[in-house]
Amino acid sequence: MSGRKKTLLKVIILGDSGVGKTSLMQQFVNNKFSHQYKATIGADFLTKEITIDNNKQVTLQIWDTAGQERFQSLGVAFYRGADCCVLCYDVTNEKSLNNLSSWKDEFLIQSNVSNPQDFPFIIIGNKIDVDDSKKIPSLQKKLNNITNNQLGGLNYPVFETSAKDSINVELAFEVIAKMALQQEELNDANGNDVSDDYNDAINIHLENDAGGCAC
Amino acid sequence: MSVKEDSQTLLQLHPDWVSMDFDKLGKSFYNNDGVPLSDTIKSLKAKTLSEALQNKNTDVLAEYLRSTEGLINNEFRMKIWPLILGVANSGDETDEEILSNKQSGIDSPNLKLNRQSVTSFLLNDLDLNDLPPHKDEDQVKLDIQRSFTVLSHMQSYHHLQNESFTAIFSNNDIDQLKKSLLNLIIKILRKYPCLNYYQGYHDIASIILIVCYEQGGEPNSSKNDELAFKLLEKLTVFHLRDYMITDINLSINHLKLIPSLLEVIDTDLFELIKQSSNSYILSSGFHYDYNFYQGLSSILTFYSHDLNNLHQLLIIWDFILSYNSVIVNVYLYVALLLFHKEDIFNQLNIDPNDLTNAEGPEIDIDLVHTLVSPNNLFSSMTDSDLNKILNKTRILIESYLISDIENSDVTYDVWFKEFNQNSVLLNTSDILVDRKIKDYKYSYLIINDQNPPDSSLNDLIQLQDEEMSKQTVYNISLQQKLLEQQEELSNSTSDLDTSLPNLLSSSITSFTSASSSINTKIANTSSMIFKKLFHHDGSPTPEGKLSSNNKHNVLLTNFYRISFTVGFIGFMMHFLLIKNDPSYQSLNISRLLSGSLSMIRKFGYHILDLESIKALYDFVVSASNTLAYEAGGAVREMYTSLKDSDIVNSGINIGQVGLGNLRNNIYGFIG
């Protein structure tokens, strides 16, 4: 591999259908919001370059995914090489909150990250712009139960956002970028860079081929 | 009869029409230069369409649907789509003649029956509230909130060619359409509860609704709703069925046909897609699974999810419907890729010739994903581009019959002829079979007065589910072989310490990445099996004991975790299989089982009382037999010990066991 390339950080957004995954990505990348986003089928990504604390330039590659359970098994095609995973729920939808841990489990099974125990996840509760009366009753308590549960607890940073009114979205993605960068550096240090799996595989292949030719 | 022959017979059958049309209009109808029709020609075409409609010959009409700009407007579509889809059209005075016309082509008692059913359509008798809700209705509602974005998009453009769309759709119209859409989809799902709704089905339904939405007519005309229902019903049962079985992997099979066709049509694009695929990269070029996820939304929705230009989209639909087969979607995607080929390679800055060199170019995989995705393929597509692309599609369909292409013995034959014999591609949506014959032969799948609700479609879907499960098992064994090959390779290239623990851990490490895909597959299959088991279990639990019910509830609420646990058992099976050398096997079994046997016992205790254990046991045994006899033995042993186990621990939450023990076990292994 020649030199240090620009840092590309792969971020996967997961969560139930309709929690606002596409909206969050669009608000962060394009600073816009629409009620008209179509349901996502399959997965697609957008990229955005940002600068984090120590003037470090990174490119975030943000993967927006389908929320319907039916499409979950296709994740294996998209999750590989992820540096951070964003688990989203809708603050007005209790089921989406309860499903966070299964999204996490599913991600770990399919992504095959090298450090599942300390892989960076963050939790985003979206749609805080809606009327309080519609929100999940005693949300904070339920959230605490989920994040502090000893068995399978999701002890990760939590952000409450509004993709519609652009509240906390930038902030959340800044943290995401930092966590992803740490993960990337950790992988580099271990010489076990998951995101470079592809290139390594190709290189091994090519070296073998080249070796064959030289003989 | 091939498609080519089909159109040739057509020429023979209608010499007058052909000479009239092909001489005067033919060049512009079938032009290859891709120029949109002029207004004069358009009005001429409209006239000819009306005449063809009067003659009610579906073959002639099919030709028109394929010609430049398709059916021109929705008035024609409302009349011609039902004919082309073989939908008995109530309230239309031409029905009788159309049907008798059909009958001359094929002697069919069923068509007579259809005629009688026209007068009293089931829809009227079918009160939504009388039928139990479908399991996917919540998802439908979520998606409908986000539907008709195409229309909103259209309204932002003033230079539209077809102004009628912008003119008729106000916000009120859109609200009305959303209500109709919800009704439409829920009626279909409740009428055929065995179908699984998928995101994107609502896009399909919305296009049908738009076409049936009468300009300036009553906003909620029941006649139009009825037509929309019949069109969608036929399209669903005959053509979309593969996408609506339990397992999404049958849809993935359809997508695999895109690279399969490219392999024989355009090596450059094929190599590009192959070399940037997960399977190829992870196996260092040993294996390619033809998975092509980028086309998912286009194929599942007949492009309605991805193409915002409604005018163009409806021309595409005319084209697709004319062939009476969903496989046309696949050819169209190939034609789209071919159309953009130069641009794709330019953007990647790759010389296609380098791809087949030993030292191939470095491919930006993410960029490939973007470039071969529908968003890119449809961006800035002009009407003229579309004509060229559809012409190309037509040529591809005529030149490369999917069952005859050179690689079909390892692609299409395996995925469809061998494993999924009941796929729509081999019966109701077969491009080689005449639409009338299909209508006649499979009319029993549609529920109406003559076919009262029965289990025909349900049985077929179950059969298709079983077929797909078999393919999944096969795929796992295929991956297994691949892993073994890779193991041999890694063993021969690295100088390993022969002591067992080291060997074990090193091989585990080297398989970590490759095994995850297998693990995922096993987990998915297991969760599917579980879904089915519990689904069937729901009603017939004979004893209805309180304790049994409680356990059942625990199982259902912890469903994910159970699947996860089963996935882990699969994971273990995988390791057993890898290491089926006898000397390692005993070691492995004892190692693996000692760590997690208690967990499995607890898990097993909970499911013991249910009938499902028998089915699960049977499946695992048969599956493992297929995979390897040794592993089968191991699994049997495992379940025997499970069955004999006496541990009483009913208070334990399976989910926690699954999550806690399981994660420790897996990560203990991997780490």
Side-chain angles (χ1 to χ4, degrees):
Chain A
M1 300 258 91
S2 56
R4 190 78 198 99
K5 289 178 294 185
K6 62 173 182 181
T7 309
L8 181 73
L9 303 173
K10 183 169 176 178
V11 176
I12 314 282
I13 308 181
L14 300 179
D16 279 8
S17 188
V19 299
K21 297 180 292 295
T22 306
S23 300
L24 280 165
M25 178 180 77
Q26 286 288 350
Q27 179 58 259
F28 174 65
V29 175
N30 295 323
N31 300 312
K32 62 177 186 186
F33 176 81
S34 159
H35 284 287
Q36 310 289 1
Y37 295 128
K38 288 181 276 191
T40 308
I41 301 173
D44 218 338
F45 68 85
L46 290 177
T47 57
K48 183 174 183 171
E49 289 204 9
I50 61 166
T51 311
I52 43 181
D53 43 22
N54 47 356
N55 290 333
K56 181 142 178 84
Q57 278 265 328
V58 297
T59 306
L60 282 184
Q61 184 188 72
I62 303 160
W63 284 76
D64 178 27
T65 60
Q68 195 188 3
E69 195 188 330
R70 190 172 178 75
F71 294 106
Q72 263 183 45
S73 64
L74 308 184
V76 71
F78 307 111
Y79 300 171
R80 202 167 289 279
D83 296 304
C84 181
C85 177
V86 183
L87 304 170
C88 292
Y89 70 96
D90 170 352
V91 294
T92 65
N93 176 350
E94 189 161 349
K95 194 165 150 263
S96 72
L97 177 68
N98 294 331
N99 279 342
L100 289 181
S101 70
S102 48
W103 280 109
K104 179 201 153 189
D105 294 339
E106 191 70 28
F107 173 80
L108 286 177
I109 293 173
Q110 298 202 23
S111 66
N112 185 48
V113 294
S114 60
N115 55 336
Q117 271 138 344
D118 50 11
F119 184 84
F121 287 92
I122 93 158
I123 296 171
I124 287 185
N126 192 33
K127 306 191 187 177
I128 53 165
D129 52 277
V130 298
D131 198 77
D132 278 347
S133 62
K134 288 184 181 167
K135 288 182 187 164
I136 305 170
S138 53
L139 171 62
Q140 206 52 46
K141 199 177 142 208
K142 284 168 184 159
L143 187 63
N144 283 345
N145 278 344
I146 286 172
T147 53
N148 295 326
N149 191 332
Q150 298 153 328
L151 292 153
L154 305 175
N155 196 6
Y156 306 118
V158 180
F159 285 87
E160 297 209 319
T161 65
S162 161
K164 184 174 171 230
D165 297 344
S166 187
I167 301 168
N168 280 344
V169 177
E170 289 275 339
L171 187 68
F173 274 96
E174 208 171 289
V175 173
I176 291 165
K178 285 179 194 169
M179 290 167 66
L181 185 63
Q182 268 186 352
Q183 169 75 4
E184 175 88 357
E185 286 170 351
L186 183 82
N187 282 331
D188 278 352
N190 292 347
N192 185 20
D193 191 346
V194 180
S195 66
D196 272 356
D197 258 2
Y198 300 128
N199 297 332
D200 286 346
I202 287 172
N203 283 348
I204 290 164
H205 181 46
L206 293 180
E207 274 160 23
N208 289 345
D209 280 357
C213 294
C215 287
Chain B
M1 197 198 297
S2 84
V3 177
K4 211 172 199 170
E5 284 166 19
D6 201 7
S7 59
Q8 271 164 1
T9 350
L10 188 68
L11 299 190
Q12 287 157 8
L13 280 173
H14 309 276
D16 295 344
W17 176 79
V18 167
S19 62
M20 183 274 289
D21 183 59
F22 277 45
D23 289 346
K24 291 177 190 162
L25 304 171
K27 285 196 176 65
S28 51
F29 273 40
Y30 295 96
N31 55 6
N32 287 311
D33 51 3
V35 178
L37 299 180
S38 73
D39 285 349
T40 329
I41 305 236
K42 215 178 250 178
S43 66
L44 274 174
K45 184 172 182 180
K47 201 172 158 230
T48 328
L49 273 175
S50 308
E51 285 167 13
L53 187 58
Q54 288 226 307
N55 293 332
K56 293 128 207 146
N57 189 315
T58 47
D59 292 330
V60 177
L61 288 168
E63 273 302 309
Y64 272 115
L65 265 80
R66 277 168 225 168
S67 64
T68 305
E69 297 210 5
L71 291 182
I72 305 177
N73 65 41
N74 284 358
E75 272 176 72
F76 280 119
R77 290 192 174 98
M78 273 178 76
K79 288 176 186 146
I80 296 176
W81 279 13
L83 295 180
I84 277 303
L85 272 168
V87 169
N89 194 1
S90 79
D92 193 326
E93 68 281 1
T94 57
D95 270 358
E96 204 165 324
E97 292 165 77
I98 292 161
L99 289 165
S100 63
N101 195 346
K102 273 184 184 171
Q103 254 175 318
S104 66
I106 174 169
D107 191 34
S108 135
N110 261 40
L111 287 173
K112 272 186 199 156
L113 293 176
N114 275 347
R115 203 182 76 197
Q116 290 161 6
S117 77
V118 162
T119 43
S120 73
F121 184 63
L122 185 92
L123 194 69
N124 303 327
D125 315 321
L126 188 86
D127 190 349
L128 266 186
N129 299 323
D130 290 347
L131 291 169
H134 186 276
K135 68 179 173 61
D136 294 328
E137 285 183 18
D138 286 345
Q139 184 69 54
V140 176
K141 283 172 194 156
L142 268 176
D143 292 339
I144 283 175
Q145 282 169 19
R146 306 178 272 180
S147 60
F148 293 110
T149 54
V150 173
L151 299 181
S152 325
H153 179 88
M154 294 286 288
Q155 283 173 321
S156 61
Y157 286 83
H158 298 291
H159 59 273
L160 272 160
Q161 295 186 339
N162 200 336
E163 288 175 14
S164 56
F165 292 121
T166 45
I168 61 161
F169 293 124
S170 64
N171 281 337
N172 278 344
D173 281 323
I174 290 179
D175 285 344
Q176 190 55 52
L177 279 167
K178 283 185 180 178
K179 278 179 201 154
S180 304
L181 183 61
L182 182 66
N183 263 323
L184 178 62
I185 295 178
I186 286 187
K187 267 178 196 162
I188 297 271
L189 292 178
R190 289 191 183 183
K191 188 171 173 189
Y192 300 99
C194 56
L195 296 170
N196 295 278
Y197 170 82
Y198 62 90
Q199 288 190 310
Y201 184 76
H202 70 297
D203 289 316
I204 295 250
S206 68
I207 295 303
I208 287 180
L209 211 54
I210 288 171
V211 165
C212 295
Y213 194 92
E214 206 168 347
Q215 295 176 23
E218 295 277 308
N220 201 11
S221 155
S222 62
K223 188 183 150 198
N224 290 344
D225 282 353
E226 195 175 308
L227 179 62
F229 179 85
K230 284 198 225 165
L231 286 173
L232 183 62
E233 179 184 38
K234 189 70 182 281
L235 193 65
T236 303
V237 174
F238 271 50
H239 304 286
L240 303 174
R241 196 178 68 239
D242 280 9
Y243 310 147
M244 306 182 85
I245 71 164
T246 313
D247 192 337
I248 196 176
N249 282 304
L250 187 51
S251 314
I252 301 304
N253 273 6
H254 281 253
L255 288 164
K256 285 173 186 238
L257 297 175
I258 294 172
S260 310
L261 279 168
L262 279 176
E263 192 169 16
V264 296
I265 294 169
D266 189 294
T267 323
D268 298 337
L269 277 170
F270 173 72
E271 280 296 325
L272 180 72
I273 286 167
K274 177 173 133 181
Q275 292 180 25
S276 47
S277 83
N278 262 335
S279 58
Y280 184 89
I281 291 161
L282 288 173
S283 67
S284 310
F286 278 114
H287 174 64
Y288 176 49
D289 59 11
Y290 290 86
N291 278 348
F292 183 77
Y293 298 108
Q294 287 86 357
L296 185 68
S297 54
S298 292
I299 300 301
L300 290 185
T301 68
F302 285 30
Y303 298 89
S304 54
H305 188 75
D306 302 310
L307 182 56
N308 286 329
N309 185 323
L310 191 55
H311 171 70
Q312 294 180 342
L313 181 66
L314 290 172
I315 292 173
I316 289 183
W317 272 56
D318 286 340
F319 183 87
I320 296 169
L321 293 178
S322 79
Y323 285 96
N324 215 254
S325 172
V326 286
I327 203 166
V328 174
N329 290 305
V330 169
Y331 285 94
L332 177 54
Y333 208 93
V334 171
L336 274 164
L337 288 169
L338 291 173
F339 185 79
H340 288 273
K341 178 181 172 181
E342 206 184 314
D343 179 55
I344 289 171
F345 280 101
N346 281 344
Q347 293 223 38
L348 285 164
N349 204 10
I350 288 177
D351 180 349
N353 297 320
D354 292 348
L355 283 169
T356 41
N357 289 350
E359 288 188 46
E362 195 172 319
I363 302 171
D364 183 340
I365 293 150
D366 297 326
L367 188 54
V368 172
H369 172 90
T370 305
L371 292 174
V372 302
S373 288
N375 270 349
N376 178 57
L377 299 177
F378 283 124
S379 71
S380 68
M381 179 175 75
T382 64
D383 290 357
S384 150
D385 291 342
L386 176 62
N387 288 343
K388 287 179 195 160
I389 290 164
L390 290 181
N391 271 321
K392 183 71 182 171
T393 312
R394 190 188 172 105
I395 293 167
L396 293 178
I397 293 171
E398 288 168 5
S399 319
Y400 300 95
L401 191 57
I402 195 76
S403 50
D404 286 352
I405 56 175
E406 292 148 47
N407 59 7
S408 63
D409 58 329
V410 291
T411 58
Y412 175 81
D413 287 358
V414 178
W415 306 322
F416 291 97
K417 277 189 183 166
E418 187 179 340
F419 283 110
N420 294 287
Q421 290 164 4
N422 287 292
S423 157
V424 293
L425 294 185
L426 294 169
N427 44 54
T428 49
S429 197
D430 187 337
I431 195 168
L432 293 179
V433 178
D434 187 278
R435 62 171 58 76
K436 285 169 235 152
I437 295 173
K438 282 183 274 190
D439 283 346
Y440 170 62
K441 201 169 164 189
Y442 303 107
S443 60
Y444 67 92
L445 292 172
I446 302 277
I447 298 172
N448 56 33
D449 291 356
Q450 274 64 48
N451 303 320
D454 66 2
S455 56
S456 297
L457 187 65
N458 185 44
D459 294 348
L460 182 59
I461 297 261
Q462 270 198 19
L463 198 58
Q464 289 197 255
D465 273 337
E466 283 163 25
E467 287 178 342
M468 198 57 225
S469 306
K470 280 178 193 154
Q471 193 193 337
T472 306
V473 170
Y474 167 79
N475 283 347
I476 292 168
S477 72
L478 198 74
Q479 298 242 3
Q480 164 64 23
K481 276 184 202 154
L482 187 79
L483 285 179
E484 278 166 7
Q485 282 171 3
Q486 283 197 304
E487 184 186 26
E488 279 169 29
L489 189 85
S490 71
N491 280 347
S492 65
T493 51
S494 56
D495 188 19
L496 287 173
D497 191 316
T498 48
S499 74
L500 286 179
N502 277 352
L503 185 60
L504 186 67
S505 70
S506 76
S507 56
I508 285 176
T509 316
S510 73
F511 289 125
T512 302
S513 68
S515 64
S516 84
S517 66
I518 283 197
N519 184 24
T520 307
K521 280 204 175 130
I522 297 179
N524 288 336
T525 314
S526 330
S527 75
M528 236 188 73
I529 292 160
F530 257 79
K531 267 183 220 170
K532 282 185 92 170
L533 290 174
F534 288 125
H535 182 71
H536 295 311
D537 236 26
S539 39
T541 309
E543 300 90 347
K545 284 178 195 163
L546 192 64
S547 61
S548 161
N549 277 345
N550 279 344
K551 279 175 197 166
H552 203 156
N553 286 340
V554 170
L555 285 171
L556 286 173
T557 51
N558 290 294
F559 183 69
Y560 266 110
R561 287 148 188 186
I562 294 168
S563 320
F564 199 64
T565 313
V566 173
F568 179 65
I569 296 173
F571 191 71
M572 284 174 45
M573 270 177 61
H574 159 64
F575 274 101
L576 295 174
L577 287 165
I578 275 191
K579 290 280 165 194
N580 53 21
D581 182 303
S583 64
Y584 301 151
Q585 199 182 3
S586 54
L587 175 80
N588 275 340
I589 290 174
S590 60
R591 272 189 75 153
L592 289 168
L593 289 190
S594 67
S596 47
L597 193 59
S598 66
M599 180 267 288
I600 292 171
R601 278 195 186 125
K602 287 165 194 163
F603 168 60
Y605 180 78
H606 279 266
I607 58 176
L608 264 179
D609 285 354
L610 301 176
E611 289 177 336
S612 54
I613 181 66
K614 181 77 179 98
L616 180 66
Y617 174 76
D618 286 342
F619 175 83
V620 174
V621 169
S622 70
S624 56
N625 276 340
T626 321
L627 287 167
Y629 287 107
E630 299 94 315
V635 173
R636 253 183 239 114
E637 195 180 308
M638 193 161 87
Y639 275 95
T640 314
S641 65
L642 201 152
K643 277 191 155 180
D644 294 342
S645 115
D646 278 335
I647 297 179
V648 178
N649 234 336
S650 56
I652 288 189
N653 179 319
I654 288 185
Q656 292 182 345
V657 175
L659 271 184
N661 281 5
L662 178 55
R663 196 183 309 102
N664 293 341
N665 278 309
I666 290 186
Y667 299 151
F669 265 108
I670 294 173

